[in-house]
Amino acid sequence: MLAIAACITLSTVGCTVAQPEPGDVAVYQDRPYFVGHEGIRPEVLKEGRDVTWPSTTIIYVTTAPQTLHVPFQDLSSMDNILLDFDTSVQLRVVDAADTLKRFGPNWWDNNVVSPYNSIVRKAVKSEKMAQMMSDPVAAEKVDQEVTEQLRALIKASGIRVEVMAVNLGKAKPNENVLTQMNNTAAEQQRNLTLVAATIAEQQRKLEQEAKADADNAYRNKMGLSPEQYLARQLAEIQADACKKATACYMVPQGTNVVSR
């Protein structure tokens, strides 16, 4: 009420109004013009509307669970493959006033991000690329390891923030490694295609040889010369063609016919 009265009296100066959105709290930072205490107040406004001194700054802090995305590039796996990640950190500010008072609004960038980078880098180095990319058990193990280490770090720092979970996301080879992998895969596919074509060609050769051997065995069994066998084959072909044709003219062997 005193602040409201003062604001009415000093209407030309104006008041500071605090009105947090759902999921936020309003933190008061006093900077009195003449007398009073300067700094962050321990009490915060969680809901509703409040009017305070013109010299007071209102800082809104999200206390609902939130997710920070921290990308990484060129992290080396155990087998020295460079991987990229888009990690997500789910956290919740427990005490907004204390966090701002002791660590400021940029508490994450100033106090956490550098050691967090080191934690993630060491965790990725403990696994091979194949495990990080395709083994869900290994990926979950790394996520849990990073989560526990980040929780311990923030607790030791005294930051009143709860780390709920850390997810490194899907590991992706960096652009150069991915290009090399694609080239290797394409070369392997070409080799497989070549092998398959060679096998098919060898199979066709074996089939043709088997058919030739069978034809030769039949010819010998029938006591035919090669010329007689070929004439018999030609007659059978002509007979089959005549069965399908509307008109058929049989040409004796050795006769020349000119078609116009």
Side-chain angles (χ1 to χ4, degrees):
M1 294 300 296
L2 182 60
I4 295 175
C7 286
I8 294 175
T9 303
L10 302 174
S11 57
T12 57
V13 178
C15 300
T16 299
V17 178
Q19 189 172 0
E21 298 288 338
D24 293 352
V25 297
V27 179
Y28 299 88
Q29 184 177 26
D30 293 321
R31 291 178 177 174
Y33 298 138
F34 304 107
V35 295
H37 298 285
E38 181 175 345
I40 301 291
R41 298 185 197 174
E43 70 277 2
V44 298
L45 180 65
K46 297 182 179 180
E47 59 182 356
R49 189 170 183 268
D50 184 35
V51 180
T52 187
W53 302 101
S55 59
T56 299
T57 300
I58 302 299
I59 304 173
Y60 295 103
V61 178
T62 299
T63 54
Q66 56 183 306
T67 301
L68 299 180
H69 290 277
V70 185
F72 287 89
Q73 292 184 333
D74 298 344
L75 296 187
S76 180
S77 63
M78 180 185 292
D79 45 359
N80 296 320
I81 304 298
L82 298 181
L83 301 174
D84 296 342
F85 294 86
D86 184 12
T87 71
S88 59
V89 181
Q90 188 177 21
L91 50 81
R92 182 176 69 87
V93 177
V94 177
D95 190 330
D98 182 75
T99 300
L100 288 183
K101 181 178 181 179
R102 298 174 59 193
F103 303 97
N106 297 320
W107 59 270
W108 173 267
D109 292 334
N110 295 336
N111 301 90
V112 182
V113 68
S114 180
Y116 173 68
N117 290 348
S118 179
I119 290 173
V120 173
R121 194 174 300 276
K122 291 180 180 178
V124 172
K125 187 67 175 176
S126 67
E127 298 289 344
K128 294 183 178 180
M129 179 196 70
Q131 278 66 42
M132 292 302 303
M133 291 185 61
S134 59
D135 187 348
V137 175
E140 184 177 356
K141 170 178 169 289
V142 172
D143 288 347
Q144 186 61 34
E145 178 182 329
V146 173
T147 300
E148 293 175 357
Q149 291 190 35
L150 183 59
R151 284 173 179 166
L153 168 71
I154 289 183
K155 181 178 180 180
S157 301
I159 304 174
R160 300 293 303 281
V161 171
E162 176 190 3
V163 177
M164 305 173 71
V166 178
N167 190 313
L168 267 62
K170 185 176 181 180
K172 298 179 294 183
N174 74 0
E175 186 174 350
N176 292 334
V177 175
L178 187 59
T179 299
Q180 294 176 8
M181 292 176 64
N182 290 336
N183 291 340
T184 300
E187 184 63 28
Q188 291 175 343
Q189 185 59 47
R190 283 193 293 269
N191 292 337
L192 290 175
T193 302
L194 180 60
V195 170
T198 302
I199 293 175
E201 188 64 30
Q202 291 174 345
Q203 184 63 32
R204 282 193 295 270
K205 180 181 178 182
L206 292 174
E207 291 174 356
Q208 292 171 355
E209 290 177 350
K211 185 177 184 303
D213 291 342
D215 290 344
N216 195 45
Y218 175 77
R219 181 183 64 79
N220 292 331
K221 182 178 180 180
M222 298 298 294
L224 300 175
S225 66
E227 292 77 10
Q228 291 172 329
Y229 180 75
L230 290 176
R232 180 185 177 88
Q233 291 291 94
L234 179 60
E236 290 179 355
I237 294 172
Q238 290 176 340
D240 289 339
C242 286
K243 291 178 182 179
K244 302 175 183 178
T246 55
C248 182
Y249 300 92
M250 299 298 294
V251 180
Q253 187 175 1
T255 303
N256 294 328
V257 176
V258 178
S259 176
R260 297 186 181 184

